[in-house]
Amino acid sequence: MTTTQADLRVQPYRAAPDTYVIPQLVEAPPIGLVYVNSMVITGSEPVLVDTGAPSNRQQWLQDAWNLVDPTDVRWVFLTHDDHDHAGNLRQVIDACPNATLVTTWFSMARYGIDSDDMWMPFDRVRWVRDGESFAAGDRTLVAVRPPFFDNPTTRGLFDTRTRTYWAADSFGANVPHPAEDAAELDRGVWREGVLLVNRLNHPWHLWLDDASFHDHLDSVQGLGIEVIPSCHGPAIHGAMVDEAFELLRRVPGLPPWIEPGQEVLEQIIASAAAEEPVAAGTDG
Ligand SMILES: [Fe+2]
Ligand SMILES: [Fe+2]
């Protein structure tokens, strides 16, 4: 039986104090299910971290405004301009008149080229470079380039108050069933998922120098992270944070992930056709 989008409906959940994940779960045959997440920090100056995908716009906006009133949103942190992260950015900026968009020069340039008009209000934007921070009321947030990324503009976001690090496209894992916390998964399945997704999304791991990459990992791990929510996997908590870093340390030495080819596409098409209901009364 094919899983329908309704079957995959997942609810926002708390990942840390004042910190909620808005999840979307999508089928990604043949590797299973993959999350498309974003995050909301409900501190004294609420922050939206990424804006979800256009395919989930109505549900995403409903989930976001259930967590925070749009007029209370003070910051929108855009990790990078990919569609699964910036998919509802314009709707968010329009709905949140008191919000400043925090992103990068390059992300904004790329986003502008993709848009059909230059709607972005420059006076509502703040640019942060890797390692720079900004104060959001009761907390300081630091923009930190994650271990892996699939877009050169990417910055993760470290909340120094809760020690939560939004890792953007790093630390993802395909899942066999919904899981808000990586600990809900069979440990071997989660470990394989991390190694799979962090190769398929970053095929340049093949050309990484171990020592240089480990230096970069050391610097991110040195933040003292307690929770890693990310766009494409369940949140990672406590002791599993160090385990996740150890898994990423292995990625440069692993063989490439071989992506599905035409034969898999044909299997997907055939199985979808086999499951299509026979239409009644359509003759003539
Ligand atoms: Fe991305
Ligand atoms: Fe992504």
Side-chain angles (χ1 to χ4, degrees):
M1 188 179 81
T2 300
T3 311
T4 67
Q5 202 58 45
D7 295 327
L8 297 178
R9 173 79 183 109
V10 279
Q11 305 288 338
Y13 61 89
R14 181 181 179 275
D18 306 328
T19 307
Y20 296 85
V21 170
I22 300 177
Q24 179 188 3
L25 194 56
V26 298
E27 286 188 309
I31 66 167
L33 303 171
V34 173
Y35 278 105
V36 179
N37 297 333
S38 49
M39 194 172 84
V40 179
I41 302 171
T42 58
S44 65
E45 294 187 5
V47 187
L48 302 182
V49 185
D50 284 334
T51 67
S55 62
N56 191 42
R57 177 166 297 154
Q58 192 177 3
Q59 189 63 58
W60 190 92
L61 292 169
Q62 186 178 315
D63 288 344
W65 307 151
N66 280 342
L67 288 166
V68 59
D69 187 297
T71 61
D72 290 338
V73 174
R74 292 291 304 278
W75 306 94
V76 178
F77 184 83
L78 180 66
T79 61
H80 60 300
D81 59 288
D82 285 355
H83 291 294
D84 52 331
H85 301 252
N88 301 306
L89 181 61
R90 181 162 191 169
Q91 288 71 23
V92 163
I93 295 298
D94 286 347
C96 302
N98 302 310
T100 296
L101 172 63
V102 184
T103 189
T104 63
W105 166 83
F106 198 12
S107 176
M108 201 167 158
R110 288 167 51 106
Y111 190 90
I113 288 167
D114 270 350
S115 300
D116 50 7
D117 56 39
M118 287 297 290
W119 61 273
M120 191 89 75
F122 274 57
D123 57 354
R124 291 181 59 192
V125 177
R126 180 164 172 169
W127 291 342
V128 285
R129 289 179 292 209
D130 183 26
E132 291 184 344
S133 62
F134 62 101
D138 55 0
R139 66 201 65 219
T140 298
L141 302 172
V142 191
V144 179
R145 180 177 282 135
F148 282 120
F149 46 85
D150 63 7
N151 173 317
T153 72
T154 307
R155 303 283 180 272
L157 190 69
F158 181 59
D159 182 341
T160 57
R161 184 178 177 116
T162 62
R163 313 210 75 75
T164 299
Y165 179 60
W166 173 256
D169 288 329
S170 279
F171 294 104
N174 54 318
V175 295
H177 56 77
E180 297 174 358
D181 181 332
E184 296 168 22
L185 297 172
D186 173 88
R187 187 61 64 92
V189 167
W190 171 71
R191 290 173 62 90
E192 285 304 312
V194 170
L195 295 177
L196 187 157
V197 170
N198 287 277
R199 284 184 294 151
L200 82 84
N201 204 48
H202 324 109
W204 44 274
H205 73 84
L206 295 171
W207 307 292
L208 279 172
D209 172 77
D210 262 7
S212 300
F213 183 57
H214 290 179
D215 284 348
H216 178 40
L217 283 173
D218 288 343
S219 101
V220 180
Q221 194 169 7
L223 291 168
I225 299 165
E226 293 181 7
V227 189
I228 303 177
S230 70
C231 189
H232 303 300
I236 301 165
H237 295 261
M240 289 181 76
V241 168
D242 282 344
E243 186 176 348
F245 273 96
E246 289 312 307
L247 286 170
L248 292 205
R249 281 178 200 280
R250 291 175 44 197
V251 171
L254 294 179
W257 183 72
I258 306 300
E259 65 187 295
Q262 177 62 19
E263 68 287 355
V264 175
L265 175 59
E266 288 173 7
Q267 286 167 14
I268 292 169
I269 292 169
S271 95
E275 291 188 9
E276 265 177 23
V278 177
T282 55
D283 53 336

